[in-house]
């Protein structure tokens, strides 16, 4: 991928999501367990679209070379066990690229509205006329999330898809392309062994 940054609209979208999340935490903090070191949502092997890969690469390229090296070594070190785990989690279960994390990470823990039948039945907390609400099982354990604190995840996904399509067209990329976090770090940082990867 070229060094072209993501479109400004992507930064606006992440800022709106972050603002919404901050409001939920402010109003409902006692009902939420999300905190630094809580990595239950991070036990995945995540991939992202071109536009989010570009945003993460842009951030990584802005880091001091020594910090780039630390992130690279984190990604390259051997993993043990069968449990998936995000390659960007450090030993304290904190995200090494927290300020540049993708939207799926920014919304984890929040009450999220999705269309009917998209979410597994066991994850549904509330059924609405226009969808269902899911939320981390550690959050809102004794109360139902207020409607004003439910993020329309379907709308966020739609906007992201439009931004990704435009970004991909502008830069001659396949809009269906998914990037693993390892690929992103290897492409963005001065990483030993990066030449073994073709992008």
């Amino acid at each position: 991928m070229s060094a072209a940054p993501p479109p400004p609209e992507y930064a606006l979208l992440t800022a709106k999501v972050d603002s919404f999340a901050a409001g939920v935490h402010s109003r409902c903090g006692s009902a939420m367990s999300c905190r630094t070191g809580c990595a239950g949502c991070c036990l995945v092997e995540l991939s992202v679209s071109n536009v989010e890969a570009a945003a993460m690469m842009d951030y990584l390229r802005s880091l001091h070379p020594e910090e780039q090296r630390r992130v690279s070594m984190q990604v390259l070190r051997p993993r043990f066990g069968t449990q998936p785990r995000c390659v960007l989690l450090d030993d304290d279960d904190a995200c090494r690229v927290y300020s540049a994390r993708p939207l799926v990470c920014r919304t984890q823990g929040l009450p999220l509205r999705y269309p009917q039948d998209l979410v597994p039945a066991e994850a549904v907390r509330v059924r609405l006329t226009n969808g269902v609400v899911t939320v981390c099982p550690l959050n809102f354990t004794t109360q139902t999330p207020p409607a004003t604190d439910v993020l329309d995840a379907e709308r966020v996904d739609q906007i992201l898809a439009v931004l990704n399509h435009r970004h991909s067209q502008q830069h001659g990329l396949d809009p269906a392309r998914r990037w693993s976090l390892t690929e992103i770090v290897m492409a963005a940082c001065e990483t030993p062994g990066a030449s073994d990867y073709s992008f």
Side-chain angles (χ1 to χ4, degrees):
M1 181 183 289
S2 71
E9 293 85 358
Y10 177 76
L12 291 174
L13 178 59
T14 58
K16 284 187 176 183
V17 168
D18 287 350
S19 176
F20 183 90
V24 175
H25 282 275
S26 174
R27 292 184 294 273
C28 305
S30 63
M32 301 188 71
S33 298
C34 300
R35 66 193 182 285
T36 302
C38 180
C41 297
C42 308
L43 302 180
V44 294
E45 294 174 353
L46 186 64
S47 67
V48 299
S49 63
N50 290 320
V51 71
E52 293 206 279
M56 293 183 76
M57 287 182 198
D58 195 45
Y59 171 79
L60 287 163
R61 289 172 179 144
S62 74
L63 296 177
H64 186 278
E66 180 57 29
E67 182 57 26
Q68 286 187 9
R69 188 190 70 77
R70 280 194 286 268
V71 173
S72 299
M73 293 302 101
Q74 174 76 31
V75 165
L76 288 173
R77 75 181 190 177
R79 302 279 163 180
F80 301 100
T82 57
Q83 174 98 40
R85 178 179 165 86
C86 180
V87 296
L88 291 172
L89 282 179
D90 67 17
D91 292 336
D92 296 319
D93 282 345
C95 179
R96 287 198 173 270
V97 296
Y98 187 78
S99 63
R101 67 199 186 284
L103 281 160
V104 66
C105 303
R106 292 172 190 269
T107 60
Q108 287 302 306
L110 297 175
L112 304 173
R113 188 196 70 76
Y114 284 103
Q116 301 280 356
D117 302 323
L118 188 64
V119 176
E122 60 273 15
V124 173
R125 291 285 297 278
V126 180
R127 292 197 176 274
L128 307 170
T129 56
N130 62 342
V132 296
V133 175
T134 183
V135 67
C136 172
L138 300 177
N139 295 339
F140 295 95
T141 57
T142 61
Q143 67 186 73
T144 299
T148 53
D149 292 318
V150 175
L151 179 66
D152 187 344
E154 180 184 21
R155 182 66 179 144
V156 172
D157 289 347
Q158 289 170 342
I159 295 170
L160 179 59
V162 169
L163 294 178
N164 181 63
H165 188 76
R166 289 177 184 166
H167 176 81
S168 299
Q169 281 192 321
Q170 183 179 358
H171 297 286
L173 303 170
D174 175 5
R177 165 76 149 99
R178 303 292 294 182
W179 292 76
S180 74
L181 301 187
T182 299
E183 289 176 315
I184 291 167
V185 172
M186 298 293 275
C189 298
E190 295 297 325
T191 307
S195 59
D196 298 336
Y197 286 74
S198 58
F199 303 105

